[in-house]
Amino acid sequence: MFLSFAKIISAIIAIVGTTYLLPIGVALYHGEQDVIPCFAIPMLVSWLVFVFFFLIGRKQKVQLSIRSSFVVVAVAWLTATAFGVIPLYASGAIPNLTDAFFESCSGFSTTGATIVNDIEVLPRSINLWRCQMHWIGGMGIVMLTVALLPILGVGGFQLIKAETTGPEKGKFTPKITTTAKLLWFIYAGMTVVETILLMIAGMDFIDALSHAFATLGTGGFSTRNASIGSYNSLAVDIICSSFMFLAGINFTLYYYLFTKRFSLVKRNSELKVYLCIVFGSILFIALCEIQHYGSFLQSLRYTSFQTLSVMSTTGFATDDYTTWSYASQAVIFMLFFIGGCSGSTSGGVKVIRWVILSKQFHNEIRHIIHPHGVFTIRLDQEPGRKDVVFSVAAFFFIYVILLVITTLFACMFGLDIFSSFTGAVSMLGNVGPAFNALGPANNYAALAAPIKWWYCFMMVAGRLEFYTIIIFFSPSFWKKY
């Protein structure tokens, strides 16, 4: 069992280590020789460890139980996060270990909450790595590895279920490895397109690639102190807004579009609600902020960007939404609790869970009126399973409990109640910015170390949608393991 576990974890870390090649290339190009060993040495070590475990266990087929799948995914994310710390800390870019771990955790979990006060003084290779962590974590560290798992003798479906987001998890091709490859192909293709468009809009290659990584991963790290706002470019705003919107949609739907299964896209309940929330929120806030910006078109430019940034949980900024009217801030605050679609790279509660709860609420009303009636929810014009409702209810219970605990914990270390509460929502939903002391004009550098470590735990728990992490605290999980 240990050998199977070690083979998978070493494979995951070797893949993460291999992605160091891109920052190494950037460091060579820009003459950042001091940074190169900080990437090259751990990369080589990761390869050696993988080769070692692969060779000694090459005759042993890897098999995973449901329990071991949860262990693998949780350990993989924690190990990858720790691995991501190495170049940040060893290079001196972030000399404090707590801060380096927070930045890495925020990167892989696609939260985008930073502790760096002056981003532009960092080496370009380090800034690229910060954004690249978003891209790897966005689609999933384990999802990337599953595409290679036939080499290790693993099917991988249990691993995918433990990592992917949403109340229902399935595969749209007979083989889960094929599904993983197709999703990553779509993801990479969109990244290439955005990179090219951003270069046409005026960014250099490294900035364009970095922001494409952060956009498609819905993370929000930037290479500039003022985020996307520093470019002051309508074209850049439109490109990033468009891809934040696209990244918030279930990537399975893109596969259906490419395979001309348009009916499956057309009847998707979650997509319909997502579109209504996005465009309804943008229109409302744009109208509210006309006086603030002087014209409707100017208001539409800035408010649509920030609305999509929060809704997709990306966290980019072109303006400070805490300077808007209270009505607009209220809508932004509500979007913190929604997030994007299941199966997307967005964080948050996910639109589908609100859809399920609203449909169940409607059924409860009908049941009160017709006590002997039998009602079921319908998703995508098909009858929904009752256990999905139970799963969503349990998710919200865990969400509220963690929200209360995280808020209280931050308050204990001197953070004001509203900053603590919105910070908790932001960490659990992987949004990034919050309100007050943690608003888009500030960062997380001034927080006490215990808060940062707790936030790290919440970011990973939120990215894996709680169960994969919380399950370790259940006595029943360990009794038969």
Side-chain angles (χ1 to χ4, degrees):
M1 180 61 199
F2 171 76
L3 187 57
S4 298
F5 179 83
K7 283 174 66 177
I8 297 173
I9 296 299
S10 63
I12 291 171
I13 299 306
I15 289 174
V16 175
T18 303
T19 65
Y20 279 177
L21 288 171
L22 187 55
I24 288 174
V26 172
L28 285 169
Y29 182 79
H30 288 280
E32 298 168 351
Q33 280 79 11
D34 293 342
V35 180
I36 294 173
C38 303
F39 287 105
I41 294 174
M43 179 183 68
L44 294 174
V45 170
S46 71
W47 290 351
L48 291 173
V49 172
F50 169 67
V51 170
F52 172 77
F53 282 111
F54 181 75
L55 289 177
I56 65 173
R58 63 184 181 277
K59 295 182 179 180
Q60 179 178 336
K61 185 176 181 180
V62 178
Q63 294 183 341
L64 294 175
S65 64
I66 294 176
R67 286 186 176 86
S68 58
S69 297
F70 281 105
V71 174
V72 167
V73 171
V75 172
W77 273 81
L78 294 174
T79 308
T81 298
F83 197 74
V85 171
I86 297 172
L88 301 177
Y89 182 72
S91 66
I94 305 179
N96 181 285
L97 184 59
T98 296
D99 287 349
F101 195 89
F102 183 94
E103 196 78 2
S104 178
C105 194
S106 181
F108 278 112
S109 66
T110 73
T111 304
T114 186
I115 49 77
V116 180
N117 289 313
D118 193 350
I119 295 169
E120 294 175 27
V121 301
L122 298 179
R124 298 206 75 183
S125 55
I126 293 294
N127 263 330
L128 176 64
W129 172 241
R130 291 171 66 246
C131 298
Q132 190 174 312
M133 287 189 288
H134 285 329
W135 194 74
I136 299 169
M139 186 57 70
I141 299 167
V142 175
M143 177 77 82
L144 177 60
T145 307
V146 163
L148 304 176
L149 280 180
I151 300 173
L152 305 177
V154 180
F157 185 52
Q158 292 298 333
L159 294 174
I160 294 295
K161 287 179 68 177
E163 182 185 52
T164 51
T165 60
E168 292 191 291
K169 296 151 187 180
K171 48 186 178 180
F172 51 79
T173 63
K175 292 184 178 181
I176 189 62
T177 51
T178 304
T179 298
K181 289 174 182 177
L182 287 171
L183 289 174
W184 268 95
F185 178 79
I186 295 169
Y187 187 52
M190 293 173 69
T191 305
V192 171
V193 172
E194 186 184 0
T195 301
I196 294 172
L197 291 175
L198 288 175
M199 290 177 67
I200 295 173
M203 288 189 185
D204 65 32
F205 173 69
I206 302 303
D207 275 3
L209 183 61
S210 298
H211 287 97
F213 280 160
T215 305
L216 269 302
T218 63
F221 280 160
S222 175
T223 59
R224 301 292 185 93
N225 292 328
S227 190
I228 299 297
S230 67
Y231 294 96
N232 193 28
S233 166
L234 176 61
V236 170
D237 289 358
I238 292 174
I239 293 166
C240 289
S241 295
S242 301
F243 281 91
M244 284 191 291
F245 169 75
L246 294 174
I249 296 174
N250 191 330
F251 275 72
T252 303
L253 298 183
Y254 296 127
Y255 171 77
Y256 292 150
L257 286 175
F258 293 149
T259 54
K260 299 182 180 179
R261 297 156 75 179
F262 302 119
S263 61
L264 295 176
V265 178
K266 185 178 179 180
R267 72 187 191 194
N268 187 269
S269 304
E270 185 179 33
L271 178 61
K272 294 175 184 176
V273 176
Y274 176 75
L275 294 174
C276 289
I277 294 173
V278 167
F279 292 114
S281 299
I282 289 174
L283 180 60
F284 178 84
I285 298 175
L287 291 172
C288 287
E289 300 307 312
I290 291 176
Q291 185 174 0
H292 182 81
Y293 289 105
S295 70
F296 176 73
L297 290 179
Q298 193 77 345
S299 176
L300 185 63
R301 171 186 173 181
Y302 289 100
T303 59
S304 61
F305 186 95
Q306 293 307 135
T307 300
L308 288 165
S309 180
V310 172
M311 182 75 180
S312 66
T313 71
T314 304
F316 279 150
T318 54
D319 203 352
D320 185 357
Y321 54 72
T322 62
T323 63
W324 292 352
S325 66
Y326 290 134
S328 297
Q329 290 187 54
V331 174
I332 291 292
F333 180 64
M334 292 174 192
L335 295 180
F336 271 60
F337 293 91
I338 300 176
C341 300
S342 60
S344 70
T345 59
S346 297
V349 171
K350 300 294 186 299
V351 172
I352 188 62
R353 290 193 173 93
W354 292 108
V355 172
I356 291 171
L357 284 184
S358 64
K359 287 180 178 291
Q360 184 59 27
F361 171 75
H362 179 63
N363 281 346
E364 293 299 324
I365 296 297
R366 294 168 66 192
H367 185 71
I368 292 173
I369 299 172
H370 306 285
H372 302 293
V374 177
F375 307 103
T376 183
I377 64 171
R378 297 185 68 84
L379 295 173
D380 305 340
Q381 301 177 12
E382 299 288 340
R385 303 192 317 271
K386 193 73 173 179
D387 63 309
V388 175
V389 179
F390 298 150
S391 173
V392 171
F395 176 90
F396 272 97
F397 174 77
I398 297 173
Y399 179 83
V400 171
I401 293 298
L402 292 177
L403 183 60
V404 171
I405 293 173
T406 304
T407 301
L408 179 61
F409 189 82
C411 287
M412 289 171 59
F413 288 90
L415 196 63
D416 68 271
I417 181 69
F418 193 57
S419 296
S420 297
F421 179 70
T422 56
V425 177
S426 182
M427 294 299 101
L428 292 172
N430 305 127
V431 180
F435 282 81
N436 281 14
L438 304 177
N442 303 306
N443 62 26
Y444 289 72
L447 295 180
I451 301 179
K452 291 176 182 176
W453 284 106
W454 180 257
Y455 277 180
C456 286
F457 178 62
M458 288 298 100
M459 283 188 280
V460 176
R463 170 59 181 81
L464 299 179
E465 298 205 327
F466 310 140
Y467 289 112
T468 303
I469 295 295
I470 300 300
I471 199 171
F472 287 97
F473 298 92
S474 171
S476 61
F477 177 82
W478 298 104
K479 283 181 180 178
K480 298 179 181 180
Y481 187 71

